Amino acid sequence: MTSNENARPDADEEEPIIREDLGSLRLQDSSTPVIDPPPVPVLFTSVPPIRDNLTTETSVSQDNTVEDCVCYLAGYGRSLFSLNTHGLPMLNREDHIDFLQDAIQDAKYIPYDASRPWVVYWSLTGLSLLGEDVEKYQERVIETFLPAQNTGGGFGGGHGQLSHCAPSYAVVLSLAMVGGRESLDVIDRRALWRWLGEVKQRDGGFRMCVGGEEDVRGAYCSMVMISLLALPLELPPNAPARAHGLTSFLDGLPEYLSRCQTFEGGISGAPQNEAHGGYAFCALACLCILGPPHEILFKYLDLPLLVSWLSARQYAPEGGFSGRTNKLVDGCYSHWVADCWPLIEAALNRPQQTALKEKLDGGNLYSREGLVRYILSCCQGDLGGLRDKPGIRPDAYHSCYTLVGLSSTQHRNYVTKKWDTESGYPLDSAFHWASERISAKDEHEEEELFDAEDKLESIHPIYVIPCAAVERCRKLFNQKVGF
């Protein structure tokens, strides 16, 4: 591995100012003293002290990634004018907004035909987090997704394509974000219910589509749609799983998810497969739809073993998360892995009146500071958008989930003690989450690394859309269980 010293400026030379940033600089009063930024902790600027002597393709890739990230984390060659008051790069809010607005415009092109629902969802979620009003997209979103809905229920990636859990999930969440009844009435709930009955399996899980693969993504996507749209939990009369004694969408589901936990402690897409961060979030979030975290997670998962596996996914000096053992950090796991922690913390803390007064004495279960440093220093594209890691081009997918992860570092999500007695719907535990913005003044909190301009809106920890959109769905369908 090349020494990091090669990237350092000479001790006697001034750190160069990046010329392309000069146009946006604000002139300072010459009488104002220049204040050096706070030093970066050594944890984020030095390689791990213990290293394996065996060199492999994987270890070389890891060394190269560390070298790239350390340059960004240490701020070599960075203009001081681009830093916030905590010495970190500012969130380039306007550039990211422009990037995501361009992305949602690009979704109309042919190359995006099969993934159009996802591009729309990623863009709307990112824009919502950045404080943009996305209801202005309501008419266009409805026009885009109406042709993708099949008469047999569910949505395909585009017009004439097979119904699939992934685009159906993205469509439902996008429609929830852009408005109320007008957009949600687009969904044929009865047909969707019948179609979901076709993908429910006799072992408790769900296929992604009729005849397709069965994994925890299908379970999570299906239960998000069922709970958010208040669909009946009873299986349709013609559901194939009825022939095997199942009568409800919930039958065998938590047991199926439990069988997906691996010997490492993580969760795989299906039993006997490799543990993966994305599947861990899907399984945890699905279980938290089925019941309160403090009850259901301990019942169906080996939580201490899962905590051990998740803890090993955050790396130093990078500060970001990897998705699997011996894999590289990736900005998208700022959501898929890091957002497992609020669900686990809720299980440990139990329902609360307020997050900041009754939280667990142990503090955070992961390094919020490390993740913030990775996102702001390593994941922001020069021209807007967020990325996997340095050297990779930004895209809508990474922009969305990296922003979701950044939002989670700024808020504490918790299950409330106040339960809505008016709702008789069995899957109401997912609607009892609240969020409070974290402050460095709160006990057990790490140093705050944000200026006001860097702060994002909160996001629902299970549905991964704004909490206001979830509440609109709950109110709309509260008295509409059934058809």
Side-chain angles (χ1 to χ4, degrees), residues 174-221:
S174 297
L175 290 170
M177 280 190 279
V178 296
R181 184 180 297 275
E182 297 85 353
S183 56
L184 291 168
D185 279 350
V186 167
I187 304 167
D188 187 336
R189 293 169 65 245
R190 184 186 295 273
L192 179 60
W193 172 68
R194 289 173 175 165
W195 178 75
L196 288 170
E198 295 182 49
V199 298
K200 173 68 177 179
Q201 299 300 295
R202 63 181 180 180
D203 63 357
F206 289 80
R207 292 188 184 274
M208 291 297 285
C209 62
V210 176
E213 70 273 27
E214 178 187 5
D215 57 43
V216 297
R217 295 175 304 155
Y220 169 63
C221 292

Side-chain angles (χ1 to χ4, degrees), residues 2-17:
T2 305
S3 171
N4 290 331
E5 293 179 359
N6 293 340
R8 295 179 184 273
D10 230 10
D12 296 328
E13 295 179 0
E14 291 185 357
E15 194 167 335
I17 293 178

Side-chain angles (χ1 to χ4, degrees), residues 262 266-269 274-281 309 323-324 333 336-337:
T262 76
I267 297 173
S268 60
E274 182 185 9
H276 189 283
Y279 297 132
F281 175 81
W309 185 84
R324 290 181 285 164
Y333 296 117
W336 293 118
V337 176

